[in-house]
Amino acid sequence: SACPFKAFAHFQLGLRPMVQQDAWLNQKLKGIAIHRILEKIWQELKSQATLLGLSDADLKSIVHKMVVDVITNLSHGQQFFLPDTLAQLEIQRLQKLILLWLSLEKQRPDFTVVALEQKSLAYLGQVVVKLRIDRVDALASGQQIVIDYKTGAVNVKDWFSTPMKDMQLPLYLLTSQAQGALLAQVNADPKFSGVVQEDIERFSEVKCTEAINAKNLAETEETWKKIMMALADDIAAGHAEVTPQPGACDYCDLQAVCRIKEQGGYHAH
């Protein structure tokens, strides 16, 4: 929805930027590291009850091991260069960040992690979208919440903007049986933000949480579905107009192809 041409070029033509592989542990790899660390931690813990039952020393030991394993595997797989001193500093930074995040998880009502990195398909008319959901939690009531980890800036208001700026987590919600969708903002100011059915987990009581209570989540989902179906129909019809929304060009790698600046249609934040 941000730019029809960008979507067409990336997903229909398969265009990608010619960028040299970064030899350092860049922001993208740091985000991947946090995802993998949390995946490994919940593969072992499986529930909040287990998390709460650990001593501080035991939890630190588990987190340290997971962080070291992930950084080591990433360095071997991605072949980025990270001197020992910097590697130790990064391990310390990640360990502190993960422990800070888990302290927020401890404040929630009881939950069990029932799925990690769950793959699924979303069918929107003629368009099929591959999905990978970071995590699904089951609450004591049996209701479920889909969770997506984010390390950068995100805003739930983008789910309700016109045009809709962010469809990732709403689409996860549409393809699941969950009663809520939350962004897990894993950074120095950790918090949950998202949409939950009004009668489920009382996130207002959890520190650093911003959750919109939807009185009728089904109505919200129906609105999202109509928007996504209309966009999918445009994609299937081959719409590829160079009509970017404000800010869509800021970090785009296709300006040499669409020549938006030459057309005078460049919109920056």
Side-chain angles (χ1 to χ4, degrees), residues 200-226:
I200 68 170
E201 201 169 350
R202 298 170 67 182
F203 278 95
S204 61
E205 296 181 2
V206 181
K207 183 182 178 182
C208 299
T209 298
E210 298 173 357
I212 299 172
N213 286 323
K215 291 184 179 180
N216 192 336
L217 191 58
E219 290 183 4
T220 302
E221 291 179 351
E222 189 60 31
T223 300
W224 286 340
K225 185 175 181 180
K226 288 178 181 178

Side-chain angles (χ1 to χ4, degrees), residues 124-135:
L124 299 170
Q126 299 179 51
V127 177
V128 180
V129 183
K130 294 181 180 179
L131 305 176
R132 184 193 292 268
I133 301 173
D134 288 344
R135 184 171 132 198

Side-chain angles (χ1 to χ4, degrees), residues 134-151:
D134 288 344
R135 184 171 132 198
V136 181
D137 286 359
L139 311 180
S141 63
Q143 295 168 306
Q144 294 188 346
I145 294 177
V146 294
I147 293 176
D148 191 61
Y149 299 122
K150 298 294 183 185
T151 55

Side-chain angles (χ1 to χ4, degrees), residues 97 100-105 107-108 147-156 182-194 203 206-211:
L97 193 65
L100 181 63
W101 174 255
L102 292 175
S103 69
L104 180 61
E105 297 268 26
Q107 299 176 39
R108 294 175 52 195
I147 293 176
D148 191 61
Y149 299 122
K150 298 294 183 185
T151 55
V154 288
N155 194 333
V156 176
L182 293 174
L183 296 165
Q185 296 175 242
V186 187
N187 50 39
D189 182 27
K191 65 180 178 181
F192 287 105
S193 59
F203 278 95
V206 181
K207 183 182 178 182
C208 299
T209 298
E210 298 173 357

Side-chain angles (χ1 to χ4, degrees), residues 61-261:
S61 176
I62 291 172
V63 171
H64 179 75
K65 178 182 183 301
M66 301 305 184
V67 171
V68 171
D69 286 351
V70 167
I71 290 298
T72 300
N73 290 335
L74 274 177
S75 64
H76 291 163
Q78 300 288 340
Q79 297 182 336
F80 62 79
F81 177 69
L82 199 64
D84 289 344
T85 301
L86 291 182
Q88 289 304 313
L89 289 173
E90 182 61 18
I91 287 170
Q92 291 174 22
R93 184 190 74 86
L94 287 171
Q95 181 171 327
K96 182 178 179 180
L97 193 65
I98 296 299
L99 288 170
L100 181 63
W101 174 255
L102 292 175
S103 69
L104 180 61
E105 297 268 26
K106 288 180 178 181
Q107 299 176 39
R108 294 175 52 195
D110 181 48
F111 67 88
T112 300
V113 177
V114 295
L116 293 164
E117 298 297 321
Q118 184 180 69
K119 295 180 181 180
S120 63
L121 297 175
Y123 296 90
L124 299 170
Q126 299 179 51
V127 177
V128 180
V129 183
K130 294 181 180 179
L131 305 176
R132 184 193 292 268
I133 301 173
D134 288 344
R135 184 171 132 198
V136 181
D137 286 359
L139 311 180
S141 63
Q143 295 168 306
Q144 294 188 346
I145 294 177
V146 294
I147 293 176
D148 191 61
Y149 299 122
K150 298 294 183 185
T151 55
V154 288
N155 194 333
V156 176
K157 292 180 181 179
D158 290 343
W159 300 359
F160 301 93
S161 62
T162 303
M164 193 174 179
K165 295 179 182 178
D166 184 0
M167 301 185 184
Q168 182 186 17
L169 213 52
L171 187 55
Y172 289 173
L173 190 55
L174 288 175
T175 57
S176 72
Q177 301 299 315
Q179 287 75 42
L182 293 174
L183 296 165
Q185 296 175 242
V186 187
N187 50 39
D189 182 27
K191 65 180 178 181
F192 287 105
S193 59
V195 174
V196 294
Q197 184 70 37
E198 191 175 46
D199 62 345
I200 68 170
E201 201 169 350
R202 298 170 67 182
F203 278 95
S204 61
E205 296 181 2
V206 181
K207 183 182 178 182
C208 299
T209 298
E210 298 173 357
I212 299 172
N213 286 323
K215 291 184 179 180
N216 192 336
L217 191 58
E219 290 183 4
T220 302
E221 291 179 351
E222 189 60 31
T223 300
W224 286 340
K225 185 175 181 180
K226 288 178 181 178
I227 294 171
M228 293 180 195
M229 287 296 294
L231 182 60
D233 289 342
D234 286 346
I235 293 172
H239 290 185
E241 296 87 351
V242 182
T243 53
Q245 295 295 319
C249 301
D250 291 357
Y251 304 102
C252 183
D253 49 42
L254 296 169
Q255 292 178 22
V257 181
C258 73
R259 303 181 67 81
I260 185 68
K261 290 185 178 180

